[in-house]
Amino acid sequence: MSEIKIIKFIAPKTISINGHSAPCECTDMVTCPYCVQASLIGFEKKLEGNDERKKKIVSHIKKNGIRKTAKEIDAQPSTVQYWFRTENFPQWVLNKYAEVYEQHPNLRTP
């Protein structure tokens, strides 16, 4: 599962309240609630993007098979089968397939 990264001093750059930048009350020791909320919103958007990648990876595995896919990414077939069954892919696999789509946007499956 992805790790949530709470970023200090991010709220004024990402959140607007009634047309104004959100205030930031972070200190060196404490992250303010506005920055926590902005970090959680960013994490949610990242998860939504990963869901689309997961669907594409699952369809790729269905098309090519577990053994061939495992060979492509240099992993054990049993590991790929576990990822396929649970749809819980490590971040490095999601990033690898994202790079494939960015380089070849016409591809429907990696």
Side-chain angles (χ1 to χ4, degrees), residues 20-73:
H20 301 290
S21 295
C24 179
E25 302 163 351
C26 292
T27 64
D28 290 337
M29 301 296 288
V30 178
T31 306
C32 75
Y34 296 106
C35 291
V36 170
Q37 185 66 30
S39 298
L40 292 174
I41 290 170
F43 179 73
E44 182 181 26
K45 289 181 182 178
K46 182 178 176 185
L47 284 181
E48 290 171 0
N50 285 346
D51 286 343
E52 185 63 32
R53 290 182 197 163
K54 286 179 188 178
K55 289 177 187 176
K56 291 177 182 178
I57 292 171
V58 166
S59 68
H60 174 70
I61 293 172
K62 285 180 182 177
K63 179 181 173 185
N64 286 351
I66 290 176
R67 290 187 186 275
K68 187 174 179 182
T69 304
K71 195 175 204 179
E72 287 176 356
I73 62 173

Short mmCIF file of all heavy atoms in Angstrom, two decimals, residues 20-73:
data_model
loop_
_atom_site.label_atom_id
_atom_site.label_comp_id
_atom_site.label_asym_id
_atom_site.label_seq_id
_atom_site.Cartn_x
_atom_site.Cartn_y
_atom_site.Cartn_z
N HIS A 20 -9.36 32.60 -1.97
CA HIS A 20 -8.08 33.00 -1.38
C HIS A 20 -7.28 31.76 -1.03
O HIS A 20 -7.83 30.70 -0.76
CB HIS A 20 -8.30 33.83 -0.11
CG HIS A 20 -9.09 35.07 -0.33
ND1 HIS A 20 -8.59 36.15 -1.03
CD2 HIS A 20 -10.36 35.40 0.02
CE1 HIS A 20 -9.51 37.10 -1.08
NE2 HIS A 20 -10.60 36.67 -0.46
N SER A 21 -5.97 31.90 -1.01
CA SER A 21 -5.11 30.78 -0.62
C SER A 21 -5.39 30.39 0.82
O SER A 21 -5.65 31.25 1.67
CB SER A 21 -3.64 31.17 -0.74
OG SER A 21 -3.29 31.41 -2.07
N ALA A 22 -5.35 29.11 1.08
CA ALA A 22 -5.57 28.62 2.44
C ALA A 22 -4.44 29.09 3.34
O ALA A 22 -3.29 29.16 2.92
CB ALA A 22 -5.65 27.10 2.44
N PRO A 23 -4.75 29.40 4.58
CA PRO A 23 -3.68 29.80 5.50
C PRO A 23 -2.83 28.59 5.88
O PRO A 23 -3.26 27.45 5.77
CB PRO A 23 -4.44 30.33 6.71
CG PRO A 23 -5.75 29.65 6.67
CD PRO A 23 -6.06 29.44 5.22
N CYS A 24 -1.62 28.87 6.29
CA CYS A 24 -0.73 27.81 6.75
C CYS A 24 -0.23 28.21 8.13
O CYS A 24 0.31 29.29 8.31
CB CYS A 24 0.44 27.62 5.79
SG CYS A 24 1.58 26.34 6.34
N GLU A 25 -0.42 27.33 9.08
CA GLU A 25 -0.02 27.59 10.45
C GLU A 25 1.02 26.57 10.92
O GLU A 25 1.12 26.28 12.11
CB GLU A 25 -1.25 27.57 11.36
CG GLU A 25 -2.30 28.58 10.94
CD GLU A 25 -3.67 28.32 11.54
OE1 GLU A 25 -3.87 27.26 12.16
OE2 GLU A 25 -4.54 29.18 11.37
N CYS A 26 1.78 26.02 9.98
CA CYS A 26 2.78 25.00 10.32
C CYS A 26 3.94 25.62 11.10
O CYS A 26 4.30 26.77 10.89
CB CYS A 26 3.35 24.36 9.05
SG CYS A 26 2.18 23.35 8.15
N THR A 27 4.49 24.81 11.98
CA THR A 27 5.72 25.16 12.69
C THR A 27 6.72 24.05 12.38
O THR A 27 6.42 23.10 11.68
CB THR A 27 5.49 25.26 14.21
OG1 THR A 27 5.13 23.97 14.70
CG2 THR A 27 4.41 26.28 14.54
N ASP A 28 7.91 24.18 12.93
CA ASP A 28 8.92 23.14 12.71
C ASP A 28 8.49 21.79 13.29
O ASP A 28 8.86 20.74 12.77
CB ASP A 28 10.25 23.55 13.33
CG ASP A 28 10.90 24.71 12.57
OD1 ASP A 28 10.57 24.87 11.38
OD2 ASP A 28 11.72 25.41 13.18
N MET A 29 7.70 21.80 14.34
CA MET A 29 7.30 20.57 15.01
C MET A 29 5.90 20.09 14.63
O MET A 29 5.62 18.90 14.73
CB MET A 29 7.35 20.77 16.53
CG MET A 29 8.72 21.17 17.06
SD MET A 29 9.95 19.89 16.80
CE MET A 29 9.43 18.70 17.98
N VAL A 30 5.02 20.98 14.21
CA VAL A 30 3.61 20.64 14.01
C VAL A 30 3.17 21.01 12.59
O VAL A 30 3.49 22.09 12.10
CB VAL A 30 2.73 21.39 15.04
CG1 VAL A 30 1.26 21.09 14.83
CG2 VAL A 30 3.15 21.04 16.45
N THR A 31 2.43 20.09 11.97
CA THR A 31 1.83 20.37 10.67
C THR A 31 0.41 20.84 10.90
O THR A 31 -0.36 20.20 11.62
CB THR A 31 1.83 19.10 9.80
OG1 THR A 31 3.15 18.58 9.73
CG2 THR A 31 1.33 19.39 8.41
N CYS A 32 0.04 21.94 10.28
CA CYS A 32 -1.29 22.51 10.51
C CYS A 32 -2.37 21.67 9.82
O CYS A 32 -2.09 20.90 8.89
CB CYS A 32 -1.33 23.96 10.02
SG CYS A 32 -1.42 24.15 8.23
N PRO A 33 -3.62 21.81 10.26
CA PRO A 33 -4.72 21.02 9.67
C PRO A 33 -4.93 21.30 8.18
O PRO A 33 -5.32 20.40 7.44
CB PRO A 33 -5.95 21.45 10.46
CG PRO A 33 -5.47 22.20 11.64
CD PRO A 33 -4.06 22.60 11.38
N TYR A 34 -4.66 22.51 7.73
CA TYR A 34 -4.83 22.83 6.31
C TYR A 34 -3.84 22.03 5.45
O TYR A 34 -4.19 21.51 4.39
CB TYR A 34 -4.64 24.32 6.07
CG TYR A 34 -5.67 25.19 6.73
CD1 TYR A 34 -5.35 25.93 7.86
CD2 TYR A 34 -6.97 25.26 6.22
CE1 TYR A 34 -6.30 26.73 8.48
CE2 TYR A 34 -7.93 26.06 6.83
CZ TYR A 34 -7.59 26.79 7.96
OH TYR A 34 -8.53 27.57 8.56
N CYS A 35 -2.62 21.92 5.92
CA CYS A 35 -1.61 21.17 5.17
C CYS A 35 -1.88 19.67 5.23
O CYS A 35 -1.63 18.95 4.25
CB CYS A 35 -0.21 21.49 5.68
SG CYS A 35 0.29 23.19 5.28
N VAL A 36 -2.40 19.19 6.35
CA VAL A 36 -2.78 17.79 6.45
C VAL A 36 -3.88 17.49 5.43
O VAL A 36 -3.83 16.50 4.69
CB VAL A 36 -3.24 17.42 7.88
CG1 VAL A 36 -3.84 16.04 7.93
CG2 VAL A 36 -2.06 17.52 8.84
N GLN A 37 -4.89 18.36 5.35
CA GLN A 37 -5.99 18.17 4.40
C GLN A 37 -5.48 18.21 2.96
O GLN A 37 -5.88 17.40 2.14
CB GLN A 37 -7.06 19.25 4.62
CG GLN A 37 -8.28 19.06 3.76
CD GLN A 37 -9.06 17.81 4.09
OE1 GLN A 37 -9.06 17.36 5.24
NE2 GLN A 37 -9.71 17.23 3.11
N ALA A 38 -4.60 19.15 2.65
CA ALA A 38 -4.05 19.24 1.31
C ALA A 38 -3.26 17.98 0.96
O ALA A 38 -3.35 17.47 -0.17
CB ALA A 38 -3.16 20.47 1.18
N SER A 39 -2.52 17.44 1.90
CA SER A 39 -1.75 16.21 1.68
C SER A 39 -2.69 15.03 1.44
O SER A 39 -2.43 14.19 0.57
CB SER A 39 -0.85 15.92 2.86
OG SER A 39 0.10 16.95 3.03
N LEU A 40 -3.78 14.95 2.19
CA LEU A 40 -4.73 13.85 2.01
C LEU A 40 -5.44 13.95 0.66
O LEU A 40 -5.68 12.92 0.01
CB LEU A 40 -5.75 13.85 3.15
CG LEU A 40 -5.21 13.48 4.52
CD1 LEU A 40 -6.28 13.66 5.59
CD2 LEU A 40 -4.67 12.07 4.53
N ILE A 41 -5.75 15.14 0.22
CA ILE A 41 -6.37 15.33 -1.10
C ILE A 41 -5.41 14.87 -2.19
O ILE A 41 -5.79 14.18 -3.13
CB ILE A 41 -6.80 16.79 -1.30
CG1 ILE A 41 -7.98 17.11 -0.39
CG2 ILE A 41 -7.15 17.06 -2.77
CD1 ILE A 41 -8.33 18.59 -0.33
N GLY A 42 -4.15 15.22 -2.06
CA GLY A 42 -3.14 14.79 -3.03
C GLY A 42 -2.98 13.29 -3.05
O GLY A 42 -2.84 12.67 -4.11
N PHE A 43 -3.02 12.66 -1.88
CA PHE A 43 -2.91 11.21 -1.78
C PHE A 43 -4.10 10.53 -2.45
O PHE A 43 -3.94 9.54 -3.16
CB PHE A 43 -2.81 10.79 -0.32
CG PHE A 43 -2.70 9.31 -0.12
CD1 PHE A 43 -1.53 8.65 -0.43
CD2 PHE A 43 -3.77 8.57 0.36
CE1 PHE A 43 -1.41 7.27 -0.26
CE2 PHE A 43 -3.66 7.21 0.53
CZ PHE A 43 -2.48 6.56 0.22
N GLU A 44 -5.29 11.08 -2.26
CA GLU A 44 -6.49 10.51 -2.87
C GLU A 44 -6.41 10.57 -4.39
O GLU A 44 -6.75 9.61 -5.08
CB GLU A 44 -7.73 11.26 -2.38
CG GLU A 44 -9.03 10.70 -2.93
CD GLU A 44 -10.23 11.47 -2.44
OE1 GLU A 44 -10.10 12.66 -2.10
OE2 GLU A 44 -11.31 10.87 -2.42
N LYS A 45 -5.93 11.68 -4.93
CA LYS A 45 -5.77 11.80 -6.38
C LYS A 45 -4.75 10.80 -6.90
O LYS A 45 -4.91 10.22 -7.98
CB LYS A 45 -5.36 13.22 -6.76
CG LYS A 45 -6.48 14.21 -6.60
CD LYS A 45 -6.06 15.60 -7.01
CE LYS A 45 -7.20 16.58 -6.78
NZ LYS A 45 -6.82 17.94 -7.14
N LYS A 46 -3.70 10.56 -6.13
CA LYS A 46 -2.68 9.59 -6.53
C LYS A 46 -3.28 8.19 -6.57
O LYS A 46 -3.01 7.41 -7.47
CB LYS A 46 -1.51 9.65 -5.55
CG LYS A 46 -0.38 8.72 -5.87
CD LYS A 46 0.74 8.87 -4.87
CE LYS A 46 1.84 7.87 -5.13
NZ LYS A 46 2.87 7.92 -4.11
N LEU A 47 -4.12 7.85 -5.58
CA LEU A 47 -4.76 6.54 -5.56
C LEU A 47 -5.69 6.34 -6.75
O LEU A 47 -5.74 5.27 -7.33
CB LEU A 47 -5.55 6.35 -4.26
CG LEU A 47 -4.76 6.03 -3.01
CD1 LEU A 47 -5.70 5.86 -1.82
CD2 LEU A 47 -3.92 4.80 -3.19
N GLU A 48 -6.42 7.38 -7.12
CA GLU A 48 -7.32 7.28 -8.27
C GLU A 48 -6.53 6.99 -9.54
O GLU A 48 -6.95 6.21 -10.38
CB GLU A 48 -8.14 8.55 -8.42
CG GLU A 48 -9.18 8.72 -7.34
CD GLU A 48 -9.85 10.08 -7.36
OE1 GLU A 48 -9.51 10.91 -8.23
OE2 GLU A 48 -10.73 10.31 -6.51
N GLY A 49 -5.38 7.62 -9.69
CA GLY A 49 -4.52 7.37 -10.84
C GLY A 49 -3.99 5.94 -10.83
O GLY A 49 -3.88 5.30 -11.87
N ASN A 50 -3.67 5.45 -9.64
CA ASN A 50 -3.18 4.07 -9.52
C ASN A 50 -4.26 3.06 -9.87
O ASN A 50 -3.95 1.99 -10.39
CB ASN A 50 -2.65 3.81 -8.12
CG ASN A 50 -1.31 4.46 -7.87
OD1 ASN A 50 -0.64 4.90 -8.80
ND2 ASN A 50 -0.92 4.54 -6.62
N ASP A 51 -5.53 3.37 -9.59
CA ASP A 51 -6.61 2.44 -9.92
C ASP A 51 -6.68 2.20 -11.42
O ASP A 51 -6.87 1.07 -11.86
CB ASP A 51 -7.95 2.97 -9.42
CG ASP A 51 -8.10 2.86 -7.91
OD1 ASP A 51 -7.33 2.09 -7.29
OD2 ASP A 51 -8.99 3.51 -7.36
N GLU A 52 -6.51 3.24 -12.20
CA GLU A 52 -6.53 3.09 -13.65
C GLU A 52 -5.34 2.24 -14.11
O GLU A 52 -5.48 1.38 -14.98
CB GLU A 52 -6.50 4.47 -14.32
CG GLU A 52 -6.63 4.42 -15.82
CD GLU A 52 -7.96 3.85 -16.28
OE1 GLU A 52 -8.97 4.04 -15.58
OE2 GLU A 52 -7.98 3.20 -17.35
N ARG A 53 -4.18 2.48 -13.54
CA ARG A 53 -3.01 1.69 -13.88
C ARG A 53 -3.21 0.22 -13.52
O ARG A 53 -2.83 -0.67 -14.27
CB ARG A 53 -1.77 2.21 -13.16
CG ARG A 53 -1.28 3.53 -13.65
CD ARG A 53 -0.03 3.91 -12.90
NE ARG A 53 0.24 5.32 -13.04
CZ ARG A 53 1.06 5.98 -12.26
NH1 ARG A 53 1.69 5.39 -11.29
NH2 ARG A 53 1.26 7.27 -12.45
N LYS A 54 -3.81 -0.02 -12.36
CA LYS A 54 -4.05 -1.40 -11.93
C LYS A 54 -4.94 -2.13 -12.92
O LYS A 54 -4.69 -3.29 -13.25
CB LYS A 54 -4.68 -1.43 -10.53
CG LYS A 54 -3.72 -1.11 -9.42
CD LYS A 54 -4.43 -1.13 -8.09
CE LYS A 54 -3.52 -0.63 -6.98
NZ LYS A 54 -4.19 -0.59 -5.70
N LYS A 55 -5.98 -1.46 -13.41
CA LYS A 55 -6.87 -2.08 -14.38
C LYS A 55 -6.11 -2.44 -15.65
O LYS A 55 -6.31 -3.51 -16.22
CB LYS A 55 -8.03 -1.14 -14.72
CG LYS A 55 -9.02 -0.97 -13.60
CD LYS A 55 -10.10 0.02 -13.98
CE LYS A 55 -11.01 0.32 -12.80
NZ LYS A 55 -12.00 1.36 -13.13
N LYS A 56 -5.23 -1.56 -16.08
CA LYS A 56 -4.46 -1.83 -17.29
C LYS A 56 -3.47 -2.97 -17.08
O LYS A 56 -3.27 -3.80 -17.97
CB LYS A 56 -3.72 -0.56 -17.73
CG LYS A 56 -4.67 0.50 -18.25
CD LYS A 56 -3.95 1.77 -18.61
CE LYS A 56 -4.93 2.84 -19.08
NZ LYS A 56 -4.27 4.09 -19.40
N ILE A 57 -2.86 -3.03 -15.91
CA ILE A 57 -1.92 -4.11 -15.62
C ILE A 57 -2.66 -5.44 -15.57
O ILE A 57 -2.19 -6.44 -16.10
CB ILE A 57 -1.16 -3.84 -14.31
CG1 ILE A 57 -0.22 -2.64 -14.48
CG2 ILE A 57 -0.37 -5.06 -13.88
CD1 ILE A 57 0.40 -2.16 -13.20
N VAL A 58 -3.82 -5.46 -14.93
CA VAL A 58 -4.60 -6.70 -14.84
C VAL A 58 -4.99 -7.17 -16.24
O VAL A 58 -4.87 -8.36 -16.56
CB VAL A 58 -5.85 -6.50 -13.95
CG1 VAL A 58 -6.84 -7.64 -14.11
CG2 VAL A 58 -5.43 -6.36 -12.49
N SER A 59 -5.41 -6.26 -17.10
CA SER A 59 -5.76 -6.67 -18.46
C SER A 59 -4.53 -7.15 -19.22
O SER A 59 -4.61 -8.08 -20.02
CB SER A 59 -6.47 -5.53 -19.21
OG SER A 59 -5.60 -4.48 -19.47
N HIS A 60 -3.38 -6.56 -18.96
CA HIS A 60 -2.13 -7.00 -19.59
C HIS A 60 -1.78 -8.42 -19.14
O HIS A 60 -1.39 -9.26 -19.95
CB HIS A 60 -0.99 -6.04 -19.25
CG HIS A 60 0.35 -6.49 -19.73
ND1 HIS A 60 0.68 -6.49 -21.06
CD2 HIS A 60 1.44 -6.96 -19.07
CE1 HIS A 60 1.92 -6.94 -21.20
NE2 HIS A 60 2.40 -7.23 -20.00
N ILE A 61 -1.93 -8.70 -17.85
CA ILE A 61 -1.63 -10.03 -17.33
C ILE A 61 -2.60 -11.05 -17.93
O ILE A 61 -2.20 -12.15 -18.30
CB ILE A 61 -1.67 -10.04 -15.79
CG1 ILE A 61 -0.51 -9.20 -15.23
CG2 ILE A 61 -1.59 -11.46 -15.25
CD1 ILE A 61 -0.56 -8.98 -13.74
N LYS A 62 -3.87 -10.68 -18.05
CA LYS A 62 -4.84 -11.58 -18.67
C LYS A 62 -4.46 -11.89 -20.11
O LYS A 62 -4.60 -13.02 -20.56
CB LYS A 62 -6.24 -10.97 -18.63
CG LYS A 62 -6.88 -11.00 -17.27
CD LYS A 62 -8.26 -10.37 -17.33
CE LYS A 62 -8.91 -10.32 -15.97
NZ LYS A 62 -10.23 -9.65 -16.02
N LYS A 63 -3.97 -10.89 -20.81
CA LYS A 63 -3.63 -11.06 -22.22
C LYS A 63 -2.35 -11.89 -22.39
O LYS A 63 -2.31 -12.82 -23.21
CB LYS A 63 -3.44 -9.69 -22.87
CG LYS A 63 -3.06 -9.73 -24.32
CD LYS A 63 -2.88 -8.32 -24.86
CE LYS A 63 -2.33 -8.35 -26.27
NZ LYS A 63 -2.04 -7.01 -26.75
N ASN A 64 -1.31 -11.57 -21.64
CA ASN A 64 0.00 -12.20 -21.81
C ASN A 64 0.23 -13.42 -20.93
O ASN A 64 1.10 -14.22 -21.24
CB ASN A 64 1.12 -11.21 -21.54
CG ASN A 64 1.27 -10.23 -22.68
OD1 ASN A 64 0.67 -10.37 -23.73
ND2 ASN A 64 2.09 -9.22 -22.45
N GLY A 65 -0.47 -13.53 -19.84
CA GLY A 65 -0.25 -14.64 -18.91
C GLY A 65 0.70 -14.24 -17.79
O GLY A 65 1.49 -13.30 -17.91
N ILE A 66 0.60 -14.99 -16.72
CA ILE A 66 1.36 -14.68 -15.52
C ILE A 66 2.86 -14.91 -15.73
O ILE A 66 3.69 -14.09 -15.36
CB ILE A 66 0.83 -15.49 -14.32
CG1 ILE A 66 -0.55 -14.94 -13.94
CG2 ILE A 66 1.78 -15.43 -13.14
CD1 ILE A 66 -1.25 -15.69 -12.86
N ARG A 67 3.22 -16.04 -16.34
CA ARG A 67 4.65 -16.36 -16.49
C ARG A 67 5.36 -15.35 -17.40
O ARG A 67 6.47 -14.91 -17.09
CB ARG A 67 4.82 -17.77 -17.04
CG ARG A 67 4.44 -18.82 -16.04
CD ARG A 67 4.79 -20.20 -16.56
NE ARG A 67 4.32 -21.24 -15.70
CZ ARG A 67 4.96 -21.68 -14.63
NH1 ARG A 67 6.11 -21.16 -14.30
NH2 ARG A 67 4.45 -22.64 -13.90
N LYS A 68 4.74 -14.99 -18.50
CA LYS A 68 5.36 -14.03 -19.42
C LYS A 68 5.50 -12.66 -18.76
O LYS A 68 6.53 -12.00 -18.90
CB LYS A 68 4.55 -13.93 -20.71
CG LYS A 68 5.22 -13.11 -21.77
CD LYS A 68 4.44 -13.16 -23.07
CE LYS A 68 5.12 -12.31 -24.13
NZ LYS A 68 4.37 -12.31 -25.38
N THR A 69 4.48 -12.25 -18.05
CA THR A 69 4.54 -10.96 -17.35
C THR A 69 5.62 -10.99 -16.28
O THR A 69 6.37 -10.02 -16.12
CB THR A 69 3.17 -10.62 -16.72
OG1 THR A 69 2.17 -10.63 -17.75
CG2 THR A 69 3.19 -9.27 -16.06
N ALA A 70 5.72 -12.10 -15.55
CA ALA A 70 6.75 -12.23 -14.51
C ALA A 70 8.14 -12.12 -15.13
O ALA A 70 9.03 -11.49 -14.57
CB ALA A 70 6.60 -13.55 -13.78
N LYS A 71 8.31 -12.72 -16.28
CA LYS A 71 9.61 -12.65 -16.97
C LYS A 71 9.92 -11.22 -17.40
O LYS A 71 11.05 -10.76 -17.31
CB LYS A 71 9.57 -13.58 -18.18
CG LYS A 71 10.91 -13.89 -18.75
CD LYS A 71 10.74 -14.91 -19.88
CE LYS A 71 12.02 -15.66 -20.08
NZ LYS A 71 11.90 -16.67 -21.14
N GLU A 72 8.89 -10.49 -17.88
CA GLU A 72 9.08 -9.10 -18.32
C GLU A 72 9.58 -8.20 -17.20
O GLU A 72 10.39 -7.31 -17.42
CB GLU A 72 7.76 -8.52 -18.85
CG GLU A 72 7.32 -9.04 -20.17
CD GLU A 72 5.96 -8.49 -20.57
OE1 GLU A 72 5.33 -7.76 -19.76
OE2 GLU A 72 5.52 -8.79 -21.68
N ILE A 73 9.05 -8.42 -16.00
CA ILE A 73 9.41 -7.52 -14.88
C ILE A 73 10.40 -8.16 -13.93
O ILE A 73 10.68 -7.60 -12.87
CB ILE A 73 8.16 -7.04 -14.12
CG1 ILE A 73 7.40 -8.22 -13.50
CG2 ILE A 73 7.26 -6.22 -15.01
CD1 ILE A 73 6.26 -7.80 -12.61
#
